[in-house]
Amino acid sequence: MEKNTVLIKVTSSIGSAMLHNAESHTLYYFCKWLVKDNIVVISGIEKESLLKKKLEDLGVEVKKPFLSYLYLKRLKKLMHIPFSIINTLIDTLKVKPDLLFCIGGVFYNGLAIVISSKLLNIPTLVRSAEDHIALANFERPYFFKHLYARFRAYLSKITIKNSDYFLTVGKSSKNYFINTYKLSKESTFFIPGPIDHEKIEVKEIIESKKYDSFFIDKENLVNFKTILFIGSEDYKGVREVFELCSIIYENKLNIKIIWISNSENICKRISLLGYDNFVRNIRPLDKSKLRNILRKVDFLFWSTQLGVGYGQII
């Protein structure tokens, strides 16, 4: 029996940027399932990473993009739409897939597969958790970030409405997209994000803290608790974590926070408020290094003001 070919379009930094860990985790589990009965080709990964090796070990073909743009730093935000369209069209012509599947970066990668689909008559599947207009409402009106968020949401809307099939992460999200974008119920589906079942024992947490200077002044590591928070957006928990920091500071609680973020403003604010002695700010890191961090924490902190869009658990 001849296998169908699925071309999956992903963000270029997947596997090398911790902030996209949810996407890489989801991609791996989709590929693990798809590769059993299909030929799976991934388009878009620029850098070598553990994720790339794991995908290739599954039997997935990983294609480097014809045009790379991560090296452009801040300018990449201006280039990823045209570059994604060109790269996707080139890979689609080479691979000749039976399905085009976007798993990340809906407003540019999703748009790229829809354009290729229209030109080459190939069905499309777009997956999204939170590419909708509600995100823009959390940014300050008329500022650049607000205008850029609305621009992304508008392109995502065009992409989602013009895709043959749409996949999201939960029943509430599915209903939201159907009602907001008037999608067909027959072509809209949901699959919750896969759960990482790796177990970390309490004794591992205590042992890891013993040799870390961040915890060195704490004698009673059993009663001393550590919280991990990952994020840089106000509406995804940043406000709440700063409120928690204020409570810890004022009450001299036996708690420390490991905060993973790439925001310079957050880092400066932590120092200005005098939270340095119990808050450690860490830049985004890959999954293998994140696993070592997880061995040092007792709790994961998660909060959002966004009503729909979540199906991923670290």
Side-chain angles (χ1 to χ4, degrees):
M1 183 178 174
E2 190 175 343
K3 291 185 175 182
N4 289 324
T5 301
V6 180
L7 179 62
I8 303 177
K9 185 66 181 172
V10 298
T11 54
S12 293
S13 59
I14 189 171
S16 58
M18 194 280 312
L19 292 181
H20 296 292
N21 188 57
E23 182 192 349
S24 60
H25 189 57
T26 302
L27 173 65
Y28 179 77
Y29 279 91
F30 270 123
C31 288
K32 197 174 181 181
W33 172 70
L34 285 169
V35 80
K36 293 177 182 178
D37 301 304
N38 303 275
I39 297 168
V40 180
V41 182
I42 293 174
S43 167
I45 300 179
E46 285 193 23
K47 296 182 178 180
E48 295 295 324
S49 65
L50 178 62
L51 173 67
K52 182 174 179 288
K53 183 179 183 305
K54 285 174 68 178
L55 290 169
E56 289 172 337
D57 288 344
L58 286 177
V60 173
E61 180 184 353
V62 181
K63 297 182 75 66
K64 277 196 172 183
F66 178 73
L67 297 174
S68 299
Y69 65 89
L70 288 180
Y71 69 92
L72 295 173
K73 308 280 183 196
R74 293 184 180 182
L75 287 176
K76 67 185 179 184
K77 283 192 175 182
L78 301 174
M79 303 305 297
H80 56 197
I81 294 175
F83 276 36
S84 181
I85 292 170
I86 293 168
N87 287 332
T88 303
L89 189 56
I90 289 172
D91 285 341
T92 303
L93 286 166
K94 286 181 178 177
V95 175
K96 298 179 175 60
D98 299 286
L99 177 71
L100 287 165
F101 183 11
C102 170
I103 205 169
V106 172
F107 76 97
Y108 58 102
N109 284 334
L111 182 66
I113 71 163
V114 166
I115 289 172
S116 295
S117 165
K118 300 299 181 187
L119 291 173
L120 303 171
N121 195 30
I122 299 169
T124 54
L125 169 61
V126 170
R127 180 187 185 273
S128 173
E130 53 182 46
D131 294 273
H132 50 73
I133 197 66
L135 274 176
N137 298 333
F138 291 103
E139 305 294 350
R140 294 172 66 187
Y142 310 115
F143 281 73
F144 176 76
K145 285 184 73 175
H146 175 78
L147 296 174
Y148 185 60
R150 294 192 71 86
F151 173 68
R152 292 200 315 261
Y154 179 70
L155 291 183
S156 296
K157 179 180 178 180
I158 291 172
T159 298
I160 291 166
K161 286 177 71 70
N162 284 278
S163 179
D164 295 291
Y165 303 98
F166 179 67
L167 177 67
T168 189
V169 295
K171 189 175 181 180
S172 295
S173 294
K174 176 186 172 183
N175 292 337
Y176 175 89
F177 280 106
I178 287 173
N179 295 330
T180 305
Y181 293 158
K182 304 295 185 285
L183 303 181
S184 164
K185 292 181 180 179
E186 289 71 33
S187 60
T188 306
F189 311 93
F190 76 88
I191 300 175
I195 297 174
D196 189 337
H197 290 286
E198 181 182 348
K199 292 181 179 179
I200 297 175
E201 304 292 339
V202 173
K203 62 182 180 182
E204 286 186 64
I205 296 171
I206 295 172
E207 195 66 27
S208 294
K209 287 179 182 178
K210 281 182 181 178
Y211 306 103
D212 193 320
S213 59
F214 188 56
F215 309 103
I216 209 71
D217 59 332
K218 297 294 178 182
E219 293 179 7
N220 193 344
L221 294 173
V222 176
N223 295 327
F224 177 73
K225 301 302 178 188
T226 312
I227 297 170
L228 173 66
F229 174 70
I230 303 172
S232 303
E233 300 289 351
D234 280 352
Y235 59 86
K236 290 184 180 178
V238 168
R239 290 191 187 101
E240 288 78 9
V241 175
F242 272 116
E243 287 177 16
L244 177 61
C245 287
S246 175
I247 293 168
I248 294 169
Y249 183 77
E250 290 172 7
N251 295 278
K252 296 181 173 59
L253 299 178
N254 215 18
I255 297 172
K256 288 200 175 187
I257 296 173
I258 297 176
W259 189 332
I260 300 179
S261 170
N262 62 349
S263 169
E264 293 290 344
N265 289 332
I266 287 173
C267 187
K268 288 177 182 176
R269 191 175 167 193
I270 288 169
S271 294
L272 285 172
L273 293 170
Y275 298 159
D276 292 278
N277 64 329
F278 65 89
V279 179
R280 171 191 282 177
N281 183 246
I282 295 176
R283 291 286 179 179
L285 63 169
D286 62 31
K287 179 70 181 292
S288 60
K289 292 178 181 176
L290 177 62
R291 187 178 291 112
N292 292 330
I293 296 293
L294 286 169
R295 289 195 173 94
K296 299 179 189 296
V297 302
D298 302 280
F299 299 99
L300 303 179
F301 184 93
W302 184 85
S303 174
T304 182
Q305 297 171 49
L306 199 61
V308 296
Y310 287 91
Q312 183 65 49
I313 300 173
I314 294 175

